[in-house]
Amino acid sequence: MNSQAMNVEVENVRSASDVVVPNPSQGSFALQAVGVHKTYGSGEFAVQVLQGASLNVRPGERVAVVGASGSGKSTLLHVLGALDQPDQGTVEISGQRLDQLSEKARGEARNRLVGFVYQFHHLLPEFSALENVAMPLRIRRVPETEANFQAMSLLERVGLKARATHRPGELSGGERQRVALARALVTRPSCVLADEPTGNLDRGTARTVFELMSGLAKEQGIAFVIVTHDMEIAQSTDRILRLQDGILQAT
Ligand code: ADP
Ligand code: MG
């Protein structure tokens, strides 16, 4: 997301500051998708991407999603994270249907319940690592001192306390992904959706970032859905699902 997009999001959420999102129910799944369908375009140009994809992820569980390029993995993560709506089927995050909320309330619920990590870090270049990590809390109007305190503790957890004042351009690829991971976790979400988070890193750095994600998932009871091409990483998760012909199959 570029800084302009982030600013738009900040404004949208600020104007929705009176929206109260109920606490998530203590259901047994952090994330539950049932029979999700998603088609792009229509008529002869229709691309049926998801055709009944279902998945349940428990708190603290790490699930890898693999599949050919163009099989719909990114589409699936967008629908799971309520960035996009399914044509059919349901998605619940901590027992909540985000699609039934107004757009403003959905943005706020997404900010609170879901963390995203992408292949490219999407950090805001003009802000420090600390400011980037604190951003989701600032969007939620957490006071600066408290937001910075929580952001710093996450940066410390990913081994980057000493880099807090550095801007993304002054960090290595692996360090940027660790900052992106800290930013995804700072709101203590129910689940983190990671789209090829290590796809742009060398093997050793990829492993380090994955192990950090894994440790934090277990420690904080956060569910992780990780799209990856790296079979070594996939095999280190709790479960591998393959997206093929629009559905998720156990491997
Ligand atoms: P993956 O992440 O597995 O590579 P994607 O979810 O990005 O796959 O894409 C799945 C299919 O949907 C591809 O054929 C892609 O071209 C198509 N697609 C993705 N996003 C859009 C969109 N916004 N509009 C039209 N087609 C799209
Ligand atoms: Mg993709």
Side-chain angles (χ1 to χ4, degrees), residues 73-74 195-196:
K73 303 180 299 297
S74 295
D195 199 350
E196 306 196 34

Side-chain angles (χ1 to χ4, degrees), residues 46-251:
V47 183
Q48 294 186 337
V49 181
L50 303 176
Q51 302 182 69
S54 297
L55 128 127
N56 294 324
V57 190
R58 293 185 186 284
E61 192 179 18
R62 302 154 308 165
V63 175
V65 173
V66 300
S69 178
S71 59
K73 303 180 299 297
S74 295
T75 301
L76 175 72
L77 287 198
H78 287 156
V79 173
L80 292 178
L83 288 169
D84 206 348
Q85 308 276 6
D87 300 328
Q88 257 186 67
T90 58
V91 174
E92 288 185 6
I93 302 171
S94 278
Q96 280 194 72
R97 293 261 316 254
L98 269 52
D99 62 318
Q100 294 178 331
L101 301 173
S102 70
E103 200 172 321
K104 284 177 178 178
R106 181 160 58 244
E108 192 164 308
R110 190 191 301 120
N111 172 284
R112 215 163 60 85
L113 298 172
V114 190
F116 292 95
V117 183
Y118 301 95
Q119 179 172 4
F120 299 99
H121 53 85
H122 291 290
L123 298 172
L124 302 176
E126 64 271 38
F127 290 98
S128 69
L130 182 71
E131 288 165 332
N132 268 283
V133 176
M135 189 68 73
L137 296 176
R138 299 292 291 140
I139 288 172
R140 277 168 58 182
R141 304 183 127 203
V142 173
E144 190 173 359
T145 315
E146 174 63 19
N148 285 351
F149 178 79
Q150 290 184 31
M152 190 56 105
S153 90
L154 251 304
L155 276 177
E156 188 170 9
R157 184 62 186 78
V158 300
L160 289 177
K161 195 177 174 187
R163 294 281 190 278
T165 59
H166 292 227
R167 291 181 180 193
E170 299 163 337
L171 301 171
S172 72
E175 286 171 340
R176 285 180 209 146
Q177 280 308 64
R178 279 147 66 193
V179 175
L181 178 60
R183 180 186 54 182
L185 292 166
V186 78
T187 59
R188 304 184 69 92
S190 302
C191 61
V192 169
L193 305 173
D195 199 350
E196 306 196 34
T198 63
N200 199 33
L201 305 175
D202 66 72
R203 198 161 202 81
T205 310
R207 190 82 217 167
T208 306
V209 170
F210 171 72
E211 276 165 9
L212 268 172
M213 291 174 75
S214 249
L216 286 158
K218 288 287 162 217
E219 194 181 296
Q220 303 194 5
I222 296 170
F224 267 78
V225 178
I226 306 169
V227 167
T228 184
H229 282 119
D230 184 333
M231 281 317 285
E232 192 185 312
I233 282 178
Q235 278 158 3
S236 306
T237 64
D238 299 310
R239 198 149 54 94
I240 306 177
L241 299 173
R242 178 172 297 278
L243 183 58
Q244 194 168 13
D245 302 325
I247 60 167
L248 284 165
Q249 294 164 312
T251 58

